[in-house]
Amino acid sequence: EPWCTFANMSVRTGRLDAGVGRRGRPSVLDVAAEVLVADPAASLAEVAAAAGIGRTTLHKHYATREDLLCAVGHRAIDLWEQAVDAAGGAGDRDGGLRALAGALIAIGPQLAFLWRTPVFDHIKDLDDRWIAAEQRCVTVLKRAQDHGLLAAGLPDWWLMQTFYAVIYTAAESVQAGKLAPLDAPDLALRTFLHGVGAAPKE
């Protein structure tokens, strides 16, 4: 099980339904991510209520709010890694770019929680996993660049940050009910590849 470090305290993260719950229900950690994105100050009691379990049950696995934050962070990176796996084959015409966009949008709340929680910048094991996941995303973007879909010569960090911005906006729009989940990957990818400007008049 992963370790997290807060200040001078090391804690081993517990495992409470870390994956998808029975019958396809969201896991406790996924529910926690959604609750904490909506309200970063949410208490353990509020997370437990949203997950449909007792606070005591949650407390047995995550003694403090910090323990829960750490566990949700690791869960988010687990899903991030799975999303990159879903991007799969370099043989795809777009290098796996659309598959990656769709997979990342689907885990929008978890990624939003990860990207919007500053404390994670100071937890080494999370930071190491984060950097590795980013590098794998860059590999997909570079493949798309090799396929001629992205302009040559752009810095890797710019490709990555621009891609994340579009993914974040699409995922947030899905959560807000403004964008249909099935439409989101294509709209995000079209915006990323072509922007929002009108096509030049002939």
Side-chain angles (χ1 to χ4, degrees):
E1 295 177 350
W3 285 86
C4 278
T5 302
F6 287 87
N8 296 319
M9 175 186 70
S10 294
V11 296
R12 185 181 292 274
T13 57
R15 295 288 184 179
L16 177 60
D17 191 22
V20 175
R22 285 176 293 182
R23 299 182 182 177
R25 291 178 300 181
S27 74
V28 170
L29 296 182
D30 293 338
V31 171
E34 293 189 21
V35 171
L36 292 167
V37 167
D39 179 10
S43 65
L44 285 178
E46 290 170 318
V47 171
I53 61 174
R55 189 188 185 286
T56 301
T57 300
L58 185 64
H59 187 74
K60 286 178 181 178
H61 293 268
Y62 309 108
T64 67
R65 191 173 183 278
E66 288 74 19
D67 293 353
L68 178 63
L69 290 178
C70 185
V72 177
H74 275 291
R75 169 65 175 160
I77 295 180
D78 288 343
L79 294 172
W80 190 354
E81 292 170 343
Q82 292 169 23
V84 182
D85 289 341
D92 294 344
R93 287 185 301 174
D94 64 358
L97 188 60
R98 191 204 181 278
L100 180 61
L104 291 179
I105 290 169
I107 58 170
Q110 290 81 8
L111 291 178
F113 174 78
L114 187 66
W115 293 339
R116 288 167 51 180
T117 305
V119 70
F120 291 158
D121 294 340
H122 307 291
I123 302 174
K124 187 178 186 310
D125 57 343
L126 267 171
D127 193 47
D128 289 344
R129 293 188 68 197
W130 185 326
I131 291 170
E134 283 195 335
Q135 288 306 308
R136 295 185 64 198
C137 283
V138 168
T139 298
V140 176
L141 292 170
K142 297 292 284 184
R143 285 205 307 255
Q145 198 173 44
D146 291 341
H147 282 67
L149 297 178
L150 299 173
L154 291 174
D156 292 353
W157 64 267
W158 181 254
L159 288 175
M160 184 178 65
Q161 293 297 328
T162 306
F163 184 62
Y164 286 170
V166 174
I167 294 299
Y168 183 91
T169 301
E172 191 176 57
S173 298
V174 169
Q175 290 296 311
K178 297 177 181 178
L179 181 60
L182 293 178
D183 295 336
D186 288 332
L187 179 59
L189 195 56
R190 187 166 69 247
T191 302
F192 178 60
L193 294 177
H194 306 296
V196 295
K201 295 182 179 180
E202 296 182 358

